[in-house]
Amino acid sequence: MRTNIGKRFMGLATGALLAAGALLATAAPAEAYDPDPSVSTYYRDTDTCPCSGGTLTDPFDDTYFAHDAGGTAVKMELNDGGSFVGKVEFHPNDEKLWVYDTKNDGDTFYVAVGYASGGSYHDLGTFSAPGTSETMDLTVKDFDIPEGAYVDITVYDGAGRTDHIAAARGTGGAVA
């Protein structure tokens, strides 16, 4: 009789451990921002650059835009509950996208980039910071965008371009 009780106990314990392991293995990824972070967007006509300071100042590395005739730079700052969680910058000089994740909160955001030129739209992809344990994570993408093209920058909370947060698009956005 004792053998059956011992086997039952071991079976129950094993089942409980397997169930707990299954729950941990299927745990959902980090929660999305809810509500979405607020976004402050700043544009600079790079005909008048180099420029920095003022609204381009931030607690991480400040923003500096180089001179680029005919270009428009953009900086988007993301804040969640009064806490700076990231920023996105498009630099027309060399057509570079900078994506910063500035808070180790288990969440990130995704930046889709594309441009219109020659009567066609060109989707350059979706990018995010790497998500390490560093205080600030950074991804820099170097594009080859034709001069004068309107660049669309859209920030999402979801990797599949879901949960739109903010955008800088078309004539109100960046210009390469």
Side-chain angles (χ1 to χ4, degrees):
M1 191 79 145
R2 288 182 191 233
T3 308
N4 286 342
I5 293 173
K7 285 182 183 180
R8 282 184 187 171
F9 176 75
M10 289 302 290
L12 288 172
T14 301
L17 287 173
L18 288 173
L23 285 173
L24 289 174
T26 60
E31 293 297 315
Y33 290 111
D34 189 19
D36 287 339
S38 62
V39 178
S40 299
T41 304
Y42 308 101
Y43 298 95
R44 289 294 184 275
D45 175 352
T46 54
D47 281 340
T48 61
C49 289
C51 48
S52 61
T55 56
L56 299 180
T57 302
D58 61 64
F60 293 92
D61 68 351
D62 294 330
T63 300
Y64 170 87
F65 292 123
H67 175 78
D68 187 78
T72 302
V74 65
K75 175 184 181 181
M76 303 170 81
E77 294 179 350
L78 288 79
N79 288 280
D80 184 42
S83 180
F84 200 100
V85 296
K87 67 177 178 168
V88 177
E89 299 173 0
F90 177 75
H91 295 251
N93 185 303
D94 292 331
E95 297 92 32
K96 289 189 178 181
L97 175 76
W98 297 61
V99 179
Y100 298 77
D101 189 334
T102 59
K103 187 173 182 185
N104 285 323
D105 56 3
D107 196 5
T108 193
F109 53 91
Y110 303 87
V111 181
V113 180
Y115 69 92
S117 179
S120 297
Y121 187 79
H122 306 271
D123 185 342
L124 298 175
T126 304
F127 310 95
S128 63
T132 69
S133 61
E134 296 296 318
T135 301
M136 179 179 73
D137 290 322
L138 170 65
T139 293
V140 179
K141 294 295 178 183
D142 190 355
F143 300 117
D144 186 20
I145 300 172
E147 290 297 316
Y150 290 105
V151 180
D152 292 337
I153 300 167
T154 309
V155 180
Y156 296 97
D157 201 4
R161 297 186 182 187
T162 59
D163 194 4
H164 177 268
I165 295 175
R169 292 188 173 142
T171 57
V175 179

